[in-house]
């Protein structure tokens, strides 16, 4: 894990400054000597943000172009000359109030989504074909004065448009059907391909023989409607894939290595060898696992262990990658390479979990598995039955078999799930819930247990002053605290409000702050530092001590604040029949206090990432379907192992990558809405399938008996697709507001 | 009915032009940032502010 990926935490804990990786390696130079940098920008939401960022950057001398892509939250800056540097430009954006993180140039290049682009083109061409063929079909359906010669002429023109369109737009279906057939299997695309090709062939021969019916319009429209469904589905999956890829790109990490000649150099984490000596500035994140050689500091292990209180780091202590150094520079000796570090282990656990999750069979695929054999059998039976009818020719038999294939409504089936998922994710997105994939919604709909992490999920993830305090002591202590960046000092300052810092205050790493208040010496920090005669308090609450010369020491107690709507959310989840549990890596007393505060009965504390997975496995063994909500790196693997997962927006990027859903904003209540929407989305999808089944029950016998004219086929096809889409749109409407 | 001899090619030609126009908008990246485009219209032009340039099609 990298300093770059740490932005949310870094902004939470400490000012950026040294916490950021040197962005210079992210700059690309183009042929005309212009430098180009891509940044991921968090927090830009509106026109004012665009104008602020772009104008702010364009005002920097040398900057030629700045363009913010609001949808992708991606900023591209191009500049020339030495007046601007990557670091100075990032500073400009951050001073404007937006977190900006450089992207790895190789990985950031928007994957040219060749497949998506091809699908889109095919869809557009099919749409064009459908509309233009329809121009010639409508007069034929209308009948009237149209002679047989004109009709045949119109059919030939239709064929001229429909055949190239169908052969081009049908490629994804033909290719997929061919792949399946070669492996001896049949998928949804087999009947579609056979239907398209057979119907085209029958239509051509009918036209050549001067027959009354040809299905050119139906073929192209079928492809158009199918491609809409395919394209929607592909876009949803692609979005999930890009989200994961973006986060990977963010993980490119740097470390400062001390060379044998005493000079320092910035190197990528993957180039750090075991035994290298690394410098770790205050606020910086450990890039690879290492042992402290020199220095004393305090570190934040929240992302690795879930522990919310800072921990002392002394010579000989092991620091895992992902730990943030808080107060003083440290010198480390690397004990692992980047790919054997704890982070890499977690990444492997995540991958393993995701593979298991791949076992989820999507509703649409289940429907297809039923559909394929039935349609094949029906079409074959139709053909066979008509061959047995004495005065029917093989032409009629083939025509009716083709009609069965084309009218069995694979388009409504193809649209049923993606249309609903697009509407559902769009609706959730407006409420600040980012759903990364369509099947996540399907998995979420069937959840019966919610497992919450404590630090950063149920709580805000930062300490807050609790208990009764003496206002005068607080105001005095805050003067000392203002010179420190320690999380506890910041919490103290937050509680005391604005004021002046103490004179001549200095921070002593691992101990506290010392200075003068109204001329008298004062100290703020650990108990042993403030009052040397006392014994160190072991375990228990997170505390700070404060003493002025001649006065008794005062104790301040801190606790991680529970999110304001946590209790209401837990109650709302229960009301929906879900079991709620707490699973944390933090100390048992802290976990129990949080569980009591929000009304959760089942709480497990002090769990390592592997134990968290075991816990989830145990739940699954009982047949429960689990939604895991967590934010720390220690949760990432558990998130991947659960049936479905969510993480708050303040989570580390690796964790967000492992989660299906990212909740923006400070509120946990979005979880309730998420479950509601997922459940109604599932209901809509099932309704759509039911509708398709009923439709087929009517259409197939009609087609088999030869009653389906091209007009009826076109009407039924468009009508059923429209009905399915309208049903999906019901999700976006009123009356589904989540209640918390 | 003779009119159809002109009308049919004309309609097909217009259809092809429409298709071409749409594919052009697609290629030139006009759908890359729909959200941003909707918001950008609200940005006022300020006389003293540097102009906002577009890098459309550049990427």
């Amino acid at each position: 894990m990298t300093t770059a990926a740490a932005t949310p935490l870094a902004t939470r804990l400490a000012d950026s400054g040294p916490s950021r990786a040197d962005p210079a390696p992210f700059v690309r130079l183009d042929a005309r000597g212009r430098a180009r940098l891509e940044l991921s920008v968090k927090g830009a939401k509106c026109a004012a943000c665009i104008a602020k960022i772009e104008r702010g950057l364009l005002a920097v001398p040398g900057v030629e172009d700045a363009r913010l892509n609001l949808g992708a939250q991606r900023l591209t800056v191009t500049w020339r000359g030495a007046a601007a540097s990557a670091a100075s430009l990032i500073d400009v954006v951050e001073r404007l109030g937006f977190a900006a993180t450089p992207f790895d140039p190789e990985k950031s290049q928007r994957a040219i989504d060749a497949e998506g682009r091809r699908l889109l083109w095919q869809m557009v061409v099919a749409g064009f074909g459908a509309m233009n063929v329809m121009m010639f079909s409508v007069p034929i359906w209308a009948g009237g004065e149209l002679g047989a010669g004109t009709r045949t002429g119109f059919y030939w023109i239709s064929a001229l448009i429909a055949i190239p369109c169908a052969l081009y737009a049908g490629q994804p279906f033909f290719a997929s059907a061919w792949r399946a057939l070669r492996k001896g299997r049949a998928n949804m695309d087999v009947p579609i391909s056979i239907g398209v090709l057979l119907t085209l062939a029958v239509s051509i021969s009918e036209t050549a023989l001067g027959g009354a019916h040809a299905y050119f319009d139906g073929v192209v429209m079928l492809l158009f409607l199918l491609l809409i469904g395919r394209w929607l589905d592909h876009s949803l999956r692609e979005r999930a894939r890009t989200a994961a890829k973006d986060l990977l790109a963010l993980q490119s990490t740097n470390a400062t290595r001390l060379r044998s000649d005493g000079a320092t150099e910035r190197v990528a984490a993957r180039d750090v060898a075991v035994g290298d000596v690394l410098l770790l500035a205050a606020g910086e994140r450990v890039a690879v696992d290492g042992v402290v050689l020199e220095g004393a500091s305090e570190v934040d292990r929240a992302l690795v262990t879930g522990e919310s209180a800072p921990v002392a780091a002394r010579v000989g202590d092991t620091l895992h990658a992902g730990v943030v150094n808080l107060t003083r520079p440290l010198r480390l000796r690397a004990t692992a390479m980047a790919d054997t570090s704890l982070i890499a282990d977690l990444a492997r656990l995540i991958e393993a979990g995701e593979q298991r999750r791949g076992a989820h069979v999507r509703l649409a695929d289940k429907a297809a598995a039923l559909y394929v054999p039935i349609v094949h059998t029906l079409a074959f039976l139709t053909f066979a039955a008509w061959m047995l009818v004495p005065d029917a020719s093989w032409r009629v038999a083939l025509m009716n078999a083709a009609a069965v294939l084309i009218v069995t409504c694979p388009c409504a089936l193809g649209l049923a799930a993606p249309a609903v998922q697009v509407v559902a994710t769009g609706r959730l997105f407006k409420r600040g819930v980012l759903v990364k994939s369509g099947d996540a919604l399907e998995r979420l709909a069937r959840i019966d247990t919610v497992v919450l992490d404590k630090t950063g999920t149920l709580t805000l993830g930062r300490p807050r002053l609790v208990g009764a305090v003496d206002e005068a002591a607080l105001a005095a202590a805050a003067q000392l605290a203002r010179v420190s960046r320690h999380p506890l000092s910041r919490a103290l300052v937050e509680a005391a409000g604005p004021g002046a810092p103490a004179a001549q205050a200095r921070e002593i790493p691992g101990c506290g702050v010392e200075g003068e208040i109204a001329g008298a010496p004062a100290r703020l920090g650990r108990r042993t530092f403030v009052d040397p005669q006392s014994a160190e308090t072991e375990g228990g609450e997170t505390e700070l001590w404060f003493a002025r010369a001649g006065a008794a020491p005062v104790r301040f107690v801190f606790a991680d604040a529970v999110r304001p709507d946590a209790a209401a959310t837990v109650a709302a989840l229960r009301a929906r029949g879900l079991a709620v549990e707490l699973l944390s890596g933090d100390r048992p007393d802290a976990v129990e206090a949080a569980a009591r505060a929000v009304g959760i009965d089942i709480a497990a504390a002090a769990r390592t990432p592997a134990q968290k997975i075991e816990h989830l496995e145990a739940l699954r063994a009982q047949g429960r379907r689990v939604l895991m909500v967590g934010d720390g790196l220690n949760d990432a693997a558990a998130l991947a192992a659960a049936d479905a997962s969510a993480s708050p927006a303040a989570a580390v990027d690796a964790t967000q990558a492992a989660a299906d859903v990212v909740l923006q904003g400070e509120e946990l209540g979005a979880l309730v809405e998420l479950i509601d929407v997922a459940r109604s989305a599932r209901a809509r999808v099932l309704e759509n399938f039911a509708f398709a089944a009923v439709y087929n029950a009517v259409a197939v016998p009609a087609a088999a008996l030869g009653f389906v004219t091209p007009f009826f086929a076109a009407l039924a096809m468009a009508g059923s697709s429209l009905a399915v889409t309208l049903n999906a749109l019901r999700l976006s409407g009123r009356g589904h507001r989540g209640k918390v | 009915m003779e009119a159809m001899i002109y009308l049919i090619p004309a309609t097909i030609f217009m259809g092809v032009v429409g298709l071409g126009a749409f594919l052009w908008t697609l290629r030139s990246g006009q759908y890359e940032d729909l959200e941003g485009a909707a918001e950008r219209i609200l940005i006022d032009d300020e006389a003293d502010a540097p102009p906002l340039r577009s890098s459309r099609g550049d990427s």
Side-chain angles (χ1 to χ4, degrees):
Chain A
M1 182 44 47
T2 85
T3 52
T7 316
L9 186 88
T11 43
R12 228 158 65 194
L13 286 183
D15 290 335
S16 43
S19 75
R20 201 167 50 216
D22 181 8
F26 295 93
V27 176
R28 271 176 295 170
L29 286 172
D30 70 7
R32 283 173 285 174
R34 290 186 308 180
R36 188 184 169 109
L37 178 68
E38 272 203 43
L39 297 170
S40 151
V41 176
K42 288 196 175 154
K45 285 191 191 74
C46 60
C49 307
I50 300 180
K52 211 155 98 181
I53 293 175
E54 292 186 354
R55 290 201 169 115
L57 285 169
L58 288 167
V60 176
V63 172
E64 293 192 345
D65 186 35
R67 179 94 182 168
L68 178 71
N69 183 326
L70 200 62
Q73 301 272 294
R74 203 80 69 75
L75 174 68
T76 311
V77 198
T78 318
W79 73 95
R80 203 188 279 277
S85 73
S88 69
L89 292 171
I90 293 177
D91 270 348
V92 169
V93 179
E94 294 207 327
R95 270 206 308 276
L96 291 169
F98 301 92
T101 321
F103 261 79
D104 187 319
E106 293 143 40
K107 291 176 188 159
S108 80
Q109 270 185 331
R110 181 132 3 115
I112 307 140
D113 172 19
E115 196 194 337
R117 182 155 299 185
R118 207 163 42 235
L119 270 177
L120 188 57
W121 278 63
Q122 279 154 345
M123 182 179 95
V124 169
V125 167
F128 159 83
M131 284 183 245
N132 283 281
V133 171
M134 211 52 81
M135 249 172 2
F136 299 95
S137 296
V138 173
I140 297 174
W141 297 338
E145 55 194 272
L146 211 61
T150 317
R151 189 182 65 205
T152 305
F154 274 17
Y155 276 148
W156 279 125
I157 298 170
S158 299
L160 208 66
I161 303 170
I163 292 170
C165 283
L167 290 182
Y168 173 67
Q171 278 169 12
F173 306 102
F174 303 152
S176 149
W178 180 239
R179 272 198 303 274
L181 284 178
R182 269 205 319 203
K183 284 185 197 147
R185 287 186 290 116
N187 62 8
M188 185 102 162
D189 293 329
V190 175
I192 292 172
S193 301
I194 296 177
V196 165
L197 294 175
L198 188 67
T199 314
L200 270 184
V202 168
S203 300
I204 293 169
S205 78
E206 281 296 301
T207 306
L209 297 169
H213 297 311
Y215 291 93
F216 294 114
D217 44 10
V219 171
V220 192
M221 189 157 73
L222 173 77
L223 286 173
F224 179 46
L225 295 172
L226 282 172
L227 281 165
I228 296 176
R230 283 295 153 100
W231 184 70
L232 287 178
D233 192 44
H234 177 86
S235 312
L236 277 175
R237 284 167 193 242
E238 186 58 26
R239 201 202 298 166
R241 234 163 46 88
T242 329
K245 215 161 35 186
D246 280 2
L247 295 165
L248 269 181
L250 282 168
Q251 285 180 26
S252 320
T253 273
N254 292 349
T256 307
R257 180 160 64 188
L258 192 66
R259 290 207 306 241
S260 49
D261 61 3
T264 60
E265 59 184 350
R266 296 291 290 178
V267 292
R270 61 174 177 276
D271 295 333
V272 174
V274 173
D276 278 357
V277 177
L278 306 173
L279 293 181
L280 188 69
E284 199 170 10
R285 184 175 291 266
V286 179
V288 299
D289 296 357
V291 174
V292 179
L293 282 182
E294 213 182 300
S297 180
E298 290 201 320
V299 294
D300 181 323
R301 301 197 301 195
L303 296 176
V304 183
T305 62
E307 225 166 341
S308 49
V311 179
R314 300 183 197 85
V315 172
D317 286 351
T318 297
L319 296 184
H320 288 298
V323 167
V324 179
N325 181 16
L326 289 174
T327 42
R328 258 321 190 42
L330 288 174
R331 207 167 269 210
L332 294 182
R333 195 183 62 239
T335 53
M337 314 251 277
D339 57 352
T340 53
S341 278
L342 181 69
I343 299 263
D345 289 344
L346 286 177
R348 273 187 284 275
L349 281 176
I350 292 172
E351 218 169 287
E354 274 167 359
Q355 268 166 16
R356 236 170 318 166
R357 187 185 286 167
H360 169 82
V361 182
R362 305 194 310 158
L363 279 174
D365 295 336
K366 281 187 193 158
L370 266 176
Y371 167 88
V372 174
I374 293 180
V375 167
H376 277 139
T377 315
L378 284 175
F380 179 76
L381 285 179
T382 305
F383 181 74
W386 277 96
M387 289 300 277
L388 294 177
V389 176
D391 38 330
S393 70
W394 64 269
R395 229 174 98 193
V396 175
L398 203 59
M399 188 84 169
N400 289 334
V404 168
L405 280 178
I406 206 147
V407 87
T408 38
C409 186
C411 17
L413 212 54
L415 273 170
V420 169
Q421 285 164 357
V422 166
V423 174
T425 52
R427 176 175 158 201
L428 286 168
F429 185 77
K430 278 195 202 128
R431 308 275 163 88
V433 180
L434 176 68
V435 182
K436 295 201 312 208
S437 67
D439 24 322
L441 281 176
E442 290 184 8
R443 284 185 267 115
L444 275 164
R446 309 190 62 195
I447 290 304
D448 56 16
T449 306
V450 180
V451 176
L452 298 161
D453 170 48
K454 184 182 77 74
T455 315
T457 304
L458 205 57
T459 68
L460 288 167
R462 53 172 189 261
R464 217 175 55 172
L465 186 63
V466 292
V469 283
D470 172 6
E471 289 298 325
L474 175 62
Q479 292 189 31
L480 287 178
R482 283 194 187 93
V483 302
S484 161
R485 279 186 180 174
H486 194 283
L488 294 183
S489 303
R490 295 182 147 221
L492 201 65
V493 174
E494 199 180 302
Q504 287 160 12
R506 65 194 180 93
E507 190 162 6
I508 298 152
C511 295
V513 188
E514 168 173 76
E516 275 182 21
I517 294 171
R523 279 180 167 188
L524 173 73
R526 315 174 148 265
R527 189 173 192 183
T528 46
F529 170 68
V530 169
D531 179 11
Q533 276 86 50
S534 68
E536 179 75 42
T537 330
E538 285 298 328
E541 291 147 314
T542 311
E543 56 175 18
L544 267 187
W545 287 80
F546 172 67
R548 275 183 283 192
V554 183
R555 180 172 181 243
F556 296 106
V557 181
F558 299 86
D560 193 1
V562 168
R563 283 181 200 258
D565 66 342
T569 304
V570 169
L573 289 173
R574 283 244 179 77
R576 280 158 181 76
L578 299 163
V580 184
E581 293 189 14
L582 192 59
L583 181 63
S584 173
D586 205 353
R587 299 187 319 270
D589 49 343
V591 174
E592 268 161 37
R596 259 200 313 279
V598 298
I600 295 178
D601 312 321
I602 312 165
R607 299 300 165 97
T608 63
Q611 284 172 328
K612 285 192 172 189
I613 296 178
E614 275 169 29
H615 187 95
L616 295 184
E617 289 297 325
L619 285 175
R620 288 171 68 156
Q622 295 167 24
R624 310 260 283 268
R625 294 199 174 84
V626 184
L627 164 66
M628 172 83 202
V629 190
D631 77 318
L633 261 183
N634 57 328
D635 299 314
L639 288 175
D643 295 282
S645 53
S647 72
V652 244
D653 294 312
T655 309
Q656 290 191 15
D660 295 315
V661 177
V662 178
L663 310 170
Q664 316 276 343
E666 296 247 297
E667 281 159 19
L668 215 53
L671 270 183
V672 180
E673 166 128 32
L674 176 66
I675 303 267
D676 283 349
V677 172
R679 286 181 171 177
S680 38
R682 182 181 159 84
R684 291 294 95 76
V685 170
L686 291 176
E687 279 166 23
N688 280 350
F689 286 151
F691 170 79
V694 170
Y695 161 88
N696 279 326
V698 177
V700 171
L705 295 174
F707 294 136
V708 174
T709 61
F711 173 64
F712 180 71
L715 201 69
M717 213 183 293
S720 64
S721 297
L722 198 66
V724 164
T725 312
L726 287 178
N727 189 34
L729 283 173
R730 289 207 294 140
L731 251 186
S732 71
R734 296 141 294 219
H736 290 283
R737 225 162 275 278
K739 283 153 260 149
V740 177
Chain B
M1 276 311 203
E2 288 74 32
M4 292 226 272
I5 295 168
Y6 315 108
L7 286 176
I8 289 169
T11 52
I12 293 179
F13 173 74
M14 278 157 66
V16 171
V17 169
L19 177 69
F22 181 72
L23 292 178
W24 170 74
T25 62
L26 206 60
R27 279 180 84 109
S28 60
Q30 296 187 29
Y31 304 94
E32 301 264 299
D33 184 19
L34 296 174
E35 232 174 288
E39 294 282 352
R40 266 168 210 282
I41 200 161
L42 300 172
I43 302 178
D44 291 323
D45 296 321
E46 287 166 38
D48 53 344
L52 292 177
R53 270 160 302 186
S54 148
S55 64
R56 193 168 8 94
D58 211 28
S59 52

